[in-house]
Amino acid sequence: LPWWGLKMEAPIKMGAPSGPKAQPDIAPASMSVKYTFGERGEGYPALSHTWYQGTEKPKIWKDGGIPNWNDGTLFIGEDGMLLADYKKYLLLPEEKFATYEPPTPWIEPSPGQMEEWIRACKGDSREPLCHFGYAGPLTEANHLGNVAYRSGKKLEWEPESMTFPNAPDAEKFLRRSYREGWSLT
């Protein structure tokens, strides 16, 4: 949801990872990573975003300060918070926003990622909601979080050169060496 609503693309920093000990070949089932995103055009200032997965949860969730949904995004603003997933949302504190009238939805409800993919394969002209222009940057950011986690460092990302200027040694986690006789071209 934040990638849609906040026009997020490549993060410029990621770090402060937490979770169990990093494994050499796989990402952990539970972890958290803090990202920093730069300005993204007019009206979209720099922001920080923390990703939690598995048993890693934000303090406000653990302390009961927000409903304990299994999945969702918590947007924290100057005047309140928005807790949302793809099917529901809650403005907090609830009493402050009790009379809020939401705008008319303008995005067609999704039948689900798999159904959108099948429709696209069958030639449906509608663009899937999770098209590559959306899913690519989201996946890149998640993988960069895994690199920060595995390296145990705060990293600065240069998307054009695909390098970490402050930690070139972490770049070994960006690619893998293929076994002799195999390549990806």
Side-chain angles (χ1 to χ4, degrees), residues 40-63:
R40 295 154 333 281
E42 191 173 322
Y44 292 90
L47 64 89
S48 65
H49 169 73
T50 304
W51 174 272
Y52 297 91
Q53 69 184 39
T55 58
E56 291 288 317
K57 303 289 186 197
K59 184 174 181 346
I60 192 171
W61 188 92
K62 289 178 181 178
D63 293 346

Side-chain angles (χ1 to χ4, degrees), residues 130-163:
C130 293
H131 55 82
F132 287 114
Y134 159 80
L138 171 60
T139 302
E140 178 181 326
N142 282 335
H143 286 309
L144 291 171
N146 288 333
V147 171
Y149 183 81
R150 290 179 71 190
S151 72
K153 297 180 178 181
K154 291 184 179 183
L155 302 175
E156 296 173 5
W157 179 239
E158 176 49 57
E160 296 301 318
S161 62
M162 296 181 68
T163 60

Side-chain angles (χ1 to χ4, degrees), residues 2 8 18 29 31 35 39 42 65 78 85 103-104 121 133 145-146 154 157 174 185:
M8 294 160 67
S18 67
M31 65 178 277
Y35 297 93
E39 290 185 21
E42 191 173 322
E78 293 175 5
D85 67 12
T104 302
C121 290
N146 288 333
K154 291 184 179 183
W157 179 239
L174 293 175
T185 57

Side-chain angles (χ1 to χ4, degrees), residues 81-96:
M81 299 180 289
L82 167 64
L83 179 61
D85 67 12
Y86 289 103
K87 296 183 180 177
K88 61 187 180 291
Y89 69 90
L90 183 61
L91 292 167
L92 301 167
E94 289 183 86
E95 58 279 358
K96 181 176 182 177

Side-chain angles (χ1 to χ4, degrees), residues 73-121:
T73 297
L74 180 64
F75 296 89
I76 301 173
E78 293 175 5
D79 297 324
M81 299 180 289
L82 167 64
L83 179 61
D85 67 12
Y86 289 103
K87 296 183 180 177
K88 61 187 180 291
Y89 69 90
L90 183 61
L91 292 167
L92 301 167
E94 289 183 86
E95 58 279 358
K96 181 176 182 177
F97 298 102
T99 60
Y100 176 76
E101 289 292 328
T104 302
W106 68 93
I107 298 173
E108 180 182 337
S110 172
Q113 293 177 352
M114 296 302 290
E115 180 62 27
E116 287 185 15
W117 183 78
I118 290 168
R119 287 179 184 181
C121 290

